[in-house]
Amino acid sequence: MNYENILVETRGDGARKTGVIRLNRPKALNALSDPLMDELGHALKAFDADPGIGCIVLTGSEKAFAAGADIPTLLQHDFLSAFNSQLISKNWEHILDVRKPVIGAVHGFCLGGGCELAMMCDILYAADNAKFGQPEIKLGVIPGGGGTQRLPRWVGKSKAMDMLLTGRFMDAAEAERAGLVARVIPAEQLLEEAFKAAETINGYSAPVVALMKQLTNQAFEVPLTEGVKIERGMFHAVFGTHDQREGMNAFLEKRPANWKHGN
C-alpha cells in the first residue's frame, strides 16, 4: 500500500525485526485525520501479521507526536453525521487489536487525540521536550478516544481531573512522575533508545511476549483474584512449549537461548 500520511520501515538485522511507523502530516503537526488513521490501522495490522516482526515503534516528528484530531474535519459534523459515520469509533482503535508490543516514542506535542493514541501503546517513552494534554475543553467538547477513561487509570483521578478540566499540559518530567511514561530520554536519543528496547523484546520468545502483553493489559479489566487465576493457568500452559524448556536449560548451561517461537 502506498501511504500518504505515514512513513513505514523496518529496523534491525536479527531474525526478528522492528516495524517502525512515523505519523507524517508535518504541516498539521500530525493531526489525526481519517485517512491517517486508516493508514495507521493498515500498517499496524500488516506488521502484526508478519512473523519476521517482533515489535512495533510508533512515533511522529521532532515537533509533535500528534497535536490532536483534525479540527477542520470535525467541524463538518453534526450529531447525526458523527453518529452515523462512527466518528473516531471506526478507525481509531486498531492498535488495541495488535498482539505484538507497540512502543510509543513521543517528541513534542502529544495532545488530545494524540495523547489518547499514545495511551493505547504498550510502552511509552518521552523525549525531554514532550508535552501531554487533553485540551478538548478549550474547544467546547470532550475527549472521544478514551481520554476521560485511560488518563485517570494512568495518572490517578485528581491529576486527570486537573488536566481534563483546565486543559493544561503536562511536561515530560511530570508525565514520568505520574506514571504516564516509562522513561524520559534526551530528544536526540529517543528513537535509538526505543529501538534498543524493541531489539531486546525481539530477542525473546514471541509467544511468551504476546502472552505477557495480553495478561498485563487484562490487569486493567478484571479483578485481582480472577487475574491471578488466569495468569496461573497461562504459567502452567507455557510448560508445554519448547521455549520454556529451552530458556531454562540455556540459563542453567549459561548460553544464549535458541527460541523456536512455538511448541
Side-chain angles (χ1 to χ4, degrees), residues 177-199:
R177 291 196 303 271
L180 182 61
V181 304
R183 279 191 272 159
V184 176
I185 299 165
E188 64 276 10
Q189 300 173 22
L190 177 67
L191 287 179
E192 286 306 315
E193 289 299 315
F195 295 145
K196 285 180 184 178
E199 288 172 7

Side-chain angles (χ1 to χ4, degrees), residues 39-60:
E39 292 179 9
L40 175 59
H42 184 278
L44 286 167
K45 289 180 179 180
F47 279 141
D48 201 34
D50 185 344
I53 297 295
C55 198
I56 301 167
V57 171
L58 175 61
T59 191

Side-chain angles (χ1 to χ4, degrees), residues 78-96:
D78 58 19
F79 167 73
L80 281 178
S81 67
F83 179 78
N84 289 333
S85 67
Q86 299 180 54
L87 184 63
I88 292 182
S89 307
K90 65 184 178 183
N91 58 3
W92 275 56
E93 296 185 339
H94 295 303
I95 190 172
L96 299 179

Side-chain angles (χ1 to χ4, degrees), residues 145-160:
T148 65
Q149 303 304 299
R150 291 192 177 89
L151 192 62
R153 284 169 166 82
W154 291 180
V155 306
K157 176 184 174 181
S158 184
K159 189 173 288 290

Side-chain angles (χ1 to χ4, degrees), residues 225-237:
T225 302
E226 183 64 22
V228 172
K229 284 182 180 178
I230 297 170
E231 179 193 79
R232 192 72 40 77
M234 293 299 99
F235 171 72
H236 293 158

